[in-house]
Amino acid sequence: TFLLHGRFLPDSRSITMGDQHQVHVWENTYIMQPKESEKFFPSKVSACIERVMEDYLKDKEYGAEDAKIWTLDLSNEIKAAVKELNVPRYKIIVQVVIGEQASQGIRVASKCLWDVSSDNWASYTFQNQSLFAVGMVFGCYYE
C-alpha cells in the first residue's frame, strides 16, 4: 500500500480526485535484470531488420527527397517488427541511414552509455545498384 495525501492506497490502483484528475499509483517491481528468455538477442533483431529492409527497398532507386521519407518509414516498420519479438522492458531505439551508391566509402558509427550485461544492439546493411541503407536497433533495458 502507498500513502498519498494522507490516505493508504492498494498496489497498482487508481483513484479519482474530483472530476479532474486520475492518479495511478504503481509499486516498484525491483526487477533489475532481464530473464534469460527476455533478453535482447541481436541475431533475432538482425533478422527482423533484414526482412523489413529487403521488402521495403528491393525495387527502390535513390532519390534525395524520397530517402527522407524512406528513413522514417523504415524506422517505424523496423521498430514495429522488433516489438513483435516481445522483448519486455526494453526501450527500442532505431536509426536508419540511406545514401546514394556512388562507389564511395562510408562508415556509420554510434556511441552510447549502457549496461553490457543487459543492453545490446543489432544492425543490417542493404545495398543495391543505386543506394545503400544501414539499419541499427539499440535495446536498452529499463527497470
Side-chain angles (χ1 to χ4, degrees):
T1 59
F2 285 92
L3 181 63
L4 179 66
H5 299 292
R7 299 187 321 200
F8 282 98
L9 299 176
D11 307 327
S12 300
R13 304 288 169 115
S14 61
I15 62 166
T16 303
M17 300 179 78
D19 293 333
Q20 297 176 354
H21 303 296
Q22 189 175 34
V23 177
H24 294 277
V25 179
W26 302 97
E27 185 174 18
N28 290 331
T29 62
Y30 301 104
I31 299 172
M32 302 302 284
Q33 295 271 326
K35 296 176 186 170
E36 191 62 34
S37 62
E38 296 177 343
K39 282 190 174 182
F40 182 99
F41 291 109
S43 58
K44 292 180 181 179
V45 177
S46 291
C48 281
I49 302 168
E50 179 179 358
R51 180 178 43 81
V52 171
M53 289 180 78
E54 292 285 341
D55 288 347
Y56 191 90
L57 295 171
K58 63 184 171 193
D59 299 328
K60 303 272 197 268
E61 286 193 32
Y62 182 80
E65 292 303 314
D66 293 334
K68 293 176 187 178
I69 297 165
W70 298 344
T71 55
L72 290 172
D73 289 346
L74 276 171
S75 295
N76 291 330
E77 286 186 31
I78 291 169
K79 188 172 186 174
V82 171
K83 285 189 174 194
E84 287 176 7
L85 293 175
N86 198 20
V87 185
R89 302 177 71 94
Y90 273 87
K91 183 173 188 79
I92 304 298
I93 300 107
V94 179
Q95 182 179 3
V96 175
V97 177
I98 297 177
E100 184 175 15
Q101 190 77 277
S103 300
Q104 79 278 24
I106 187 168
R107 182 175 301 227
V108 177
S110 187
K111 193 184 240 187
C112 186
L113 179 64
W114 64 21
D115 180 1
V116 295
S117 67
S118 57
D119 301 340
N120 219 326
W121 65 277
S123 70
Y124 176 75
T125 302
F126 172 89
Q127 294 184 48
N128 67 17
Q129 292 298 321
S130 71
L131 64 88
F132 69 89
V134 180
M136 296 173 284
V137 177
F138 304 91
C140 298
Y141 186 77
Y142 62 93
E143 296 87 41

